[in-house]
Amino acid sequence: MRVLVLGSGAREHALVHAIASSPSVDRLYVAPGNPGMVDVAELLELSLADLEDLASAAAELSIDLTVVGPEVPLAEGIGDVFARRGLRLFGPVAAAAELEASKIFAKEFCLRHAIPTAAAEIVQNADDAARAARRFGFPVVLKADGLAAGKGVLIVKSESELEAAIDDLFVARRFGAAADRVLVEECLVGTEVSFMVISDGTRIETFATSHDYKRVGDADSGPNTGGMGSHSPAFALSAELREQILNTVIRPTVAGMAAEGREYRGILYAGLMLTADGPKVLEFNCRLGDPETQSVLRRLDGDLAKAFRDAADGRLESGAMRWKDEVGACVVLAAENYPGSPRVDDEITGITDAEAMPGVVVFHAGTRRDGERLLTAGGRVLSVTATGDNLADAVDLAYRAARHIRFDGVHSRSDIGADTLDKIGKSGG
Ligand code: AMP
């Protein structure tokens, strides 16, 4: 197969890394890609904003399979554009990607199909938002309906935070049209887990479980980020809980979308809270999670490109993905001032030394080449991943590798996996 991967982050680097070792693949392209991928894929200077242009490139290069990393092209209908031109693409069409692109669609979909989720009210102005929030009581969650680069969820703990949130959403309009409608939602308590599957429209195959760390600081302090690290498996998910999630959330979602004429072919990611009343949906995504993918795919045993192609064709095979009995860990190295406006153009050194350690792979995200030098070019710069026999070993290796890597202003969390290790014990997993 000739495969084209779209995207440029560490998630896409992990995809490229896994697809490059898929036996069914003989040529691999990526657009626009990043400097970490040049050894295994050919980089194409194409913009993800021009869907017709991407389809033309796929046709010219006789691409057999296009894999979409990020959500925005999917929400904008890249699946529809490629389908119209007879090109195979792995990812949902726009009507199916609504599950991520509209939090209100997802909420109403859950209600229609009795899929457990947080109670919520839909509001369109500041007064109704305030009234609904006070009805739920603090803490309460306000969510912009549309895509907001992962930043449209505001957890509000007090009257003054509520005022600020309502101002952001309805007055300053920080999220633009994405917040024309807003969900005011019950704040769920429990352990958060992500659950990712491949769907071919009717059948599903599960990814290994994972746990991610969203806050910038240790012990979940400081502001939310795109993700500061992850480990796989999640450990919080027993086989019984996995079955429960499949039966109460994943299978009803795939069946419900098909029944509504929005057949879902692609990655389905459910963000879930494990509450005292069972797992409840926080959100759906129509693509793999970042940085969960980085630790999950390190455990892959199987032909990922073939699984994606078969799913795109509606004939996913059972057992298409197998997972090594190892633990994957990922530590994100971020730039000075991330998650605010990150400083860029700091020189990065030490990646080769880090990757010389057996079990370590470093995925790039915010990097760029300047002649011989590698410079920072974004907030989340690198994902340092490691595998090990247990969580303690995997995390320890990732941190030892990360210490080789230097750039001015680098920061990371120092406690990836620590909460899980507290629960399962040092030799657990
Ligand atoms: P989302 O983008 O919807 O996953 O929201 C981002 C983060 O906000 C989630 O990963 C949760 O940590 C948190 N969150 C979202 N909805 C809720 C909720 N109803 N209750 C508690 N936390 C939530």
Side-chain angles (χ1 to χ4, degrees):
M1 260 194 289
R2 297 162 69 87
V3 178
L4 168 63
V5 175
L6 302 181
S8 60
R11 167 185 55 206
E12 287 77 20
H13 191 179
L15 276 168
V16 161
H17 180 81
I19 290 172
S21 59
S22 294
S24 63
V25 173
D26 41 47
R27 281 297 281 277
L28 180 54
Y29 298 88
V30 58
N34 70 43
M37 305 171 179
V38 292
D39 292 338
V40 289
E42 198 172 313
L43 269 56
L44 306 174
E45 274 183 46
L46 295 171
S47 160
L48 297 193
D50 191 336
L51 306 184
E52 293 291 346
D53 198 35
L54 291 167
S56 298
E60 270 160 38
L61 293 166
S62 307
I63 298 294
D64 300 296
L65 170 70
T66 299
V67 176
V68 188
E71 64 276 13
V72 171
L74 293 167
E76 287 175 349
I78 194 170
D80 307 78
V81 170
F82 273 56
R84 207 182 311 124
R85 294 176 61 164
L87 297 161
R88 187 194 282 118
L89 176 138
F90 177 64
V93 294
E98 278 276 288
L99 266 188
E100 170 164 7
S102 168
K103 289 184 189 290
I104 291 177
F105 172 81
K107 184 65 67 181
E108 295 183 324
F109 174 85
C110 285
L111 296 175
R112 284 198 291 280
H113 296 277
I115 295 162
T117 184
E121 202 172 304
I122 299 162
V123 299
Q124 302 194 51
N125 61 57
D127 287 347
D128 288 346
R131 204 171 308 121
R134 292 188 188 112
R135 188 173 70 79
F136 280 110
F138 300 116
V140 64
V141 185
L142 272 62
K143 297 184 174 181
D145 176 43
L147 293 181
K151 299 191 174 77
V153 174
L154 306 171
I155 298 182
V156 169
K157 297 193 197 72
S158 66
E159 235 358 278
S160 62
E161 286 184 14
L162 178 62
E163 266 168 44
I166 288 177
D167 191 78
D168 273 355
L169 290 160
F170 292 106
V171 185
R173 293 191 53 82
R174 219 177 90 205
F175 306 102
D180 281 350
R181 296 196 297 160
V182 167
L183 275 180
V184 180
E185 181 167 302
E186 159 200 20
C187 189
L188 297 175
V189 182
T191 302
E192 200 175 330
V193 295
S194 0
F195 202 85
M196 304 189 284
V197 304
I198 294 188
S199 164
D200 74 352
T202 45
R203 278 162 296 225
I204 53 139
E205 287 291 311
T206 58
F207 279 86
T209 61
S210 55
H211 176 66
D212 72 330
Y213 296 81
K214 288 202 170 75
R215 300 287 180 138
V216 72
D218 284 4
D220 286 334
S221 61
N224 245 324
T225 71
M228 294 299 290
S230 64
H231 61 71
S232 171
F235 296 102
L237 283 176
S238 62
E240 295 76 52
L241 258 174
R242 282 212 299 276
E243 229 8 78
Q244 192 182 357
I245 291 167
L246 285 168
N247 288 330
T248 62
V249 176
I250 305 293
R251 291 188 181 111
T253 300
V254 171
M257 290 297 278
E260 294 192 8
R262 296 171 186 260
E263 185 179 70
Y264 197 98
R265 287 189 189 178
I267 302 289
L268 178 64
Y269 167 127
L272 303 160
M273 193 70 90
L274 304 178
T275 74
D277 300 331
K280 293 191 179 179
V281 174
L282 296 175
E283 63 163 343
F284 288 114
N285 293 322
C286 59
R287 37 76 189 170
L288 289 167
D290 185 339
E292 295 96 314
T293 303
Q294 290 90 304
S295 53
V296 166
L297 286 184
R298 291 296 317 277
R299 301 179 54 214
L300 178 72
D301 181 12
D303 189 324
L304 191 63
K306 181 177 180 304
F308 286 172
R309 180 192 64 196
D310 289 351
D313 290 346
R315 50 183 181 88
L316 184 61
E317 284 173 12
S318 134
M321 295 184 299
R322 295 177 303 279
W323 305 98
K324 290 181 207 150
D325 195 17
E326 289 178 336
V327 176
C330 166
V331 175
V332 170
L333 303 185
E336 171 94 27
N337 204 35
Y338 178 78
S341 303
R343 192 175 73 205
V344 295
D345 291 340
D346 289 306
E347 183 171 3
I348 306 165
T349 60
I351 294 179
T352 311
D353 292 336
E355 289 196 311
M357 301 172 82
V360 173
V361 178
V362 179
F363 297 123
H364 292 225
T367 68
R368 73 177 178 91
R369 277 258 165 241
D370 177 35
E372 288 295 292
R373 301 190 310 153
L374 186 69
L375 304 180
T376 62
R380 291 189 298 162
V381 178
L382 298 165
S383 282
V384 181
T385 67
T387 51
D389 290 338
N390 58 47
L391 180 60
D393 287 356
V395 167
D396 179 62
L397 180 57
Y399 277 116
R400 280 190 289 123
R403 279 199 285 278
H404 286 288
I405 300 174
R406 299 234 149 88
F407 55 88
D408 281 348
V410 59
H411 64 97
S412 58
R413 277 183 63 157
S414 70
D415 67 343
I416 301 303
D419 54 344
T420 308
L421 283 170
D422 280 346
K423 287 178 199 139
I424 65 173
K426 279 266 182 258
S427 56

